[in-house]
Amino acid sequence: MTDIVYAGNAGKDAALDRGWLLGHFKDPSDLRHSEDVEIKWGVHPKGDERAHWVTGEDRTALQVLVSGRFRVDFPGRSVVLAEQGDYVVWGRGVDHSWYAEEESVVLTVRWPSVPGYAVADADAEQNGSGARNTGN
């Protein structure tokens, strides 16, 4: 690794890797490579929704609303992030999905950064957040 500091723009860098700014999937020589945590800058048009529910999640996650109105669905409960700074945290094993009620920007932090998670198809890739190869 030659650089010890990386400076960038989340909006521009996110376009390079489905929104993900940091995680195990970055090249090991990249300062943004991490096996401990993943960070995503998610930009979602109104009506954007997750293609499939995530089931059997192996990570803990935090989602923070930067702008817009964003709903995160769990079995038997939905959480609406409506004001800048609203956030939700869920643990391992919690099934979930999401829906952008308005054009939204959401910062997602997941840990640990687990190899083997990938989006199954192009439609899921556009709407997904790096789910397992089960199409989640």
Side-chain angles (χ1 to χ4, degrees):
M1 176 179 2
T2 59
D3 293 330
I4 59 170
V5 174
Y6 179 91
N9 176 279
K12 292 177 184 176
D13 288 354
L16 303 175
D17 203 0
R18 296 180 340 268
W20 293 101
L21 302 174
L22 191 141
H24 77 275
F25 36 76
K26 295 292 186 184
D27 188 280
S29 66
D30 190 321
L31 187 59
R32 297 168 297 160
H33 176 86
S34 172
E35 296 180 12
D36 299 317
V37 67
E38 300 170 353
I39 299 176
K40 180 178 185 179
W41 183 260
V43 178
H44 304 279
K46 181 178 181 177
D48 194 16
E49 63 185 341
R50 186 154 184 63
H52 304 280
W53 275 71
V54 174
T55 58
E57 177 65 76
D58 291 332
R59 299 159 298 183
T60 300
L62 160 75
Q63 285 193 320
V64 182
L65 183 70
V66 175
S67 64
R69 185 176 173 93
F70 196 80
R71 187 182 74 228
V72 184
D73 297 316
F74 304 98
R77 179 178 182 191
S78 292
V79 175
V80 176
L81 307 177
E83 294 184 27
Q84 185 177 55
D86 283 355
Y87 67 94
V88 61
V89 178
W90 63 92
R92 294 177 180 181
V94 177
D95 297 346
H96 63 280
S97 190
W98 51 258
Y99 178 79
E101 294 185 354
E102 296 176 3
E103 183 175 321
S104 301
V105 176
V106 180
L107 179 71
T108 302
V109 180
R110 298 189 303 203
W111 61 95
S113 185
V114 181
Y117 278 72
V119 179
D121 60 51
D123 182 49
E125 179 172 322
Q126 183 176 13
N127 294 313
S129 59
R132 253 186 246 252
N133 284 329
T134 59
N136 295 343

